[in-house]
Amino acid sequence: MIDLSGKSAVVTGGSRGIGRAIALRLAGQGADVAFSYRGNEAAANETQAAIEALGRKALAVQGDVSDPEEAESVIKAALEAFDKVDILVNNAGITRDDLIMRMSLEDWRSVLETNLFGAFYCIKAVARPMLKAKGGRIINITSVSGQAGQMGQANYSSAKAGLIGLTKATARELASRGITCNAVAPGFVLTELTKDLAQEWQDRITEQTPLGRFGTPEEIANAVAFLASDEASYITGQILGVDGGLVMM
């Protein structure tokens, strides 16, 4: 059984969807959890209460990781609350879909700044404390869109592909101090973002997925919990697809 007792974690974008499932899974395995959220205070309060109901310490930090100072403040808040950060999960992400010829520069920039730059800012903020501690786990949430590309998602696909490169570079830079960095690449998962997809699209996705269904946030969280654990101590620089077989590298 995965045991994260005595560990402390930061999950960015942890109030809803996949981020919430990850925060609850880490707490369920024994970790204290700080998570960032951008604006939905009600969802953040609910998630904080759910973590505390599992008997763990919880800290909700309002902050937009696309801003380097706010990203650093999220990590600082966790360090002040828990004295250390053993696990960082870079989950915060947004979508602004459109075809390239119609995509605004603002939508291009905002997705890159949140999904890729935000992860870099958080890794930068947590690197020194982890190096001093001579250990840590960094897990980035990328996507099948970053592996295979997705029409209408040039910004999102680029950001998620960039996360793969960032994962591998981070893994090489920090490995000598026992810090691992891996990524989880979800396929299509049933969340608030995808539940409103037209039935035609849902049918097409399930047809293309060998396992014939959408994934769940909990299935993504299971992979993150494994990569955060001692059982994954010899795994670094890897991209773990949790996608029902949609992309086979």
Side-chain angles (χ1 to χ4, degrees):
M1 178 180 165
I2 292 169
D3 184 6
L4 301 177
S5 300
K7 304 291 187 184
S8 60
V10 173
V11 180
T12 66
S15 64
R16 295 183 291 169
I18 290 172
R20 181 184 186 277
I22 291 168
L24 292 178
R25 181 63 202 270
L26 297 179
Q29 301 307 132
D32 295 324
V33 182
F35 64 92
S36 73
Y37 69 100
R38 198 162 62 167
N40 192 330
E41 189 173 350
N45 290 339
E46 193 277 330
T47 299
Q48 181 171 343
I51 293 168
E52 290 170 346
L54 293 168
R56 306 314 316 161
K57 294 177 185 173
L59 177 68
V61 185
Q62 186 167 15
D64 184 345
V65 297
S66 70
D67 181 311
E69 291 183 0
E70 291 191 32
E72 188 175 358
S73 73
V74 170
I75 302 301
K76 280 185 175 177
L79 288 168
E80 287 172 9
F82 305 142
D83 294 324
K84 59 177 183 165
V85 173
D86 301 295
I87 302 158
L88 168 64
V89 184
N90 283 307
N91 167 77
I94 61 171
T95 56
R96 298 286 185 272
D97 296 354
D98 213 339
L99 296 174
I100 290 171
M101 58 186 169
R102 291 205 303 250
M103 185 176 289
S104 71
L105 294 181
E106 182 181 349
D107 284 350
W108 166 263
R109 188 176 293 112
S110 63
V111 169
L112 268 289
E113 288 180 346
T114 297
N115 300 20
L116 179 58
F117 290 24
F120 170 76
Y121 299 146
C122 290
I123 291 170
K124 185 174 174 64
V126 87
R128 190 166 277 111
M130 283 188 175
L131 287 167
K132 284 182 180 176
K134 296 184 179 176
R137 298 279 187 270
I138 299 170
I139 300 131
N140 298 320
I141 307 301
T142 179
S143 169
V144 292
S145 295
Q147 295 173 304
Q150 187 69 29
M151 189 175 74
Q153 287 194 321
N155 47 7
Y156 187 78
S157 296
S158 297
K160 293 299 190 178
L163 263 182
I164 292 172
L166 178 61
T167 297
K168 294 179 179 183
T170 302
R172 290 189 185 278
E173 286 192 23
L174 303 183
S176 65
R177 293 294 183 94
I179 301 163
T180 67
C181 184
N182 294 287
V184 172
F188 289 93
V189 176
L190 284 172
T191 66
E192 289 179 29
L193 287 175
T194 56
K195 67 180 173 60
D196 294 329
L197 273 177
Q199 190 61 48
E200 177 191 352
W201 275 102
Q202 293 194 34
D203 293 343
R204 188 177 299 180
I205 289 163
T206 53
E207 284 172 14
Q208 292 173 351
T209 303
L211 286 181
R213 63 174 177 85
F214 279 66
T216 67
E218 289 72 25
E219 287 172 319
I220 309 307
N222 291 340
V224 172
F226 166 66
L227 290 173
S229 72
D230 290 342
E231 282 83 347
S233 57
Y234 199 55
I235 300 172
T236 197
Q238 303 304 308
I239 315 305
L240 176 57
V242 186
D243 61 5
L246 187 62
V247 175
M248 299 191 190
M249 303 298 283

